[in-house]
Amino acid sequence: MPGRNAGSSARAAVSDFIRYLADRQFADVTQRLRRHFLEEYLSHAQQAAGKTSITIGELLDSARADAWLTDAAAGKTRTRNTLRGPAAAAYPNSMRSRIDTYNAFAEFAGLPDRIDSPPPADGYFLTPADTEQLLHDLALRRPVNANAVTALRTAAVAALVTDTGQSVPELARLMLSALHLDGEAHVVLAGDSYPLTGPTVQTLKRWVDARAVIIADLEGTDPGHLWIPTKPGRPRGGRPPVKPGLTPAAVRTLHHAHRTLVSQVLGAPLRPGAFHVAGPDGPEDRPRGRPDEAGE
């Protein structure tokens, strides 16, 4: 780390490290994750030292790192509430990310010390009760600065993931005509019919109404895509931005919106697959679907 030594500012070194990641074109999500955990560690170390500023050498001290990781594992560094409560223990893979962040920063700083990183834990799955609560929160709670229509679309996608057991890429190309929200509500996907629960139907109806408002601004007929962008696309080649609704929302767009909203509501990122609840109330125990009697 040119121009830096153990006596240099730790905060400045963290900023240098994030710029280093950006210069080497690390993914934005990786940069945000590394910054978040390093700032958490820096704040923890400053509080323990009773200082508002510490050096790189003070930050990269094995005893300080152990103390931080111990408190983080117990949920003591959490700044937001979670579905499991504010004092819930950290997820194993979250702790693994903290250790990987520390090791990457130590390597950047030129220190040989490393903390052994545990193997990845099995993917986290919500319990049926937690899934129900989180879907309710996603549908009804809009975090400050969150786009209301995007949040509603995200809640609708999450509800369909839960009811069908299918992934976001499998649901991304659904057409509006695949939804049947009256009577015995169901969705038709790849020739199979999946029953929909009452809360999912309510969320989908709200999304369909919001979607209709966006589509009303288009000229011509409704393209029919169920999931559409909620904002105009970026202007390209000097041409005006594409109006939302002309093309389906990209899978990466749906994933990004899900990650952002769940992080704001739950207090931690959670992949859509975690909504595939295991157990007697989960989709593994539900019928995978039956050929639709209408032949759709």
Side-chain angles (χ1 to χ4, degrees):
M1 188 167 55
R4 298 289 181 191
N5 54 53
S8 299
S9 165
R11 183 171 297 280
V14 169
S15 297
D16 288 345
F17 177 61
I18 300 304
R19 281 194 293 271
Y20 166 85
L21 297 180
D23 290 343
R24 280 151 186 79
Q25 298 184 335
F26 278 74
D28 289 344
V29 65
T30 300
Q31 296 179 47
R32 288 195 299 270
L33 188 71
R34 297 288 186 252
R35 179 187 293 278
H36 172 76
F37 285 139
L38 284 174
E39 289 181 347
E40 178 188 272
Y41 178 31
L42 181 60
S43 176
H44 186 276
Q46 288 176 168
Q47 289 179 13
K51 300 178 180 179
T52 58
S53 178
I54 61 175
T55 66
I56 298 173
E58 289 174 309
L59 181 65
L60 294 177
D61 174 81
S62 59
R64 292 193 191 281
D66 289 343
W68 166 54
L69 293 173
T70 298
D71 283 352
K76 295 180 179 179
T77 61
R78 183 174 291 116
T79 57
R80 293 181 291 188
N81 194 5
T82 74
L83 199 65
R84 300 175 299 143
Y91 298 119
N93 284 334
S94 176
M95 294 306 302
R96 186 172 187 269
S97 293
R98 284 179 171 88
I99 292 172
D100 289 346
T101 295
Y102 176 91
N103 288 337
F105 180 66
E107 181 180 5
F108 172 75
L111 297 182
D113 292 341
R114 285 181 58 85
I115 300 174
D116 290 337
S117 181
D122 292 336
Y124 177 76
F125 287 85
L126 294 170
T127 66
D130 284 349
T131 297
E132 181 179 354
Q133 181 62 54
L134 182 53
L135 289 174
H136 175 271
D137 289 346
L138 291 176
L140 299 180
R141 288 175 50 192
R142 180 165 65 91
V144 177
N145 299 326
N147 179 281
V149 181
T150 302
L152 180 57
R153 185 190 64 194
T154 300
V157 172
L160 269 187
V161 167
T162 303
D163 275 13
T164 66
Q166 303 302 304
S167 68
V168 171
E170 291 170 318
L171 298 173
R173 300 306 174 193
L174 274 176
M175 303 299 285
L176 185 63
S177 58
L179 288 184
H180 302 270
L181 302 180
D182 296 319
E184 295 184 2
H186 62 281
V187 59
V188 178
L189 180 64
D192 287 340
S193 178
Y194 297 83
L196 301 176
T197 60
T200 295
V201 171
Q202 293 175 13
T203 303
L204 285 169
K205 284 183 175 180
R206 290 174 58 208
W207 163 245
V208 169
D209 288 344
R211 177 191 176 280
V213 174
I214 297 173
I215 292 296
D217 288 337
L218 298 178
E219 297 178 1
T221 58
D222 186 337
H225 312 296
L226 177 58
W227 313 118
I228 61 173
T230 57
K231 294 179 288 187
R234 296 178 181 176
R236 300 180 184 277
R239 290 172 294 183
V242 178
K243 289 185 177 181
L246 288 174
T247 58
V251 172
R252 64 180 180 276
T253 299
L254 299 177
H255 270 300
H256 175 73
H258 174 92
R259 181 171 59 248
T260 300
L261 183 64
V262 170
S263 293
Q264 292 172 325
V265 171
L266 181 61
L270 196 65
R271 58 192 176 83
F275 289 77
H276 294 172
V277 188
D281 293 325
E284 287 86 349
D285 295 297
R286 298 175 186 163
R288 279 190 58 83
R290 65 186 187 280
D292 185 67
E293 295 176 358
E296 295 181 49

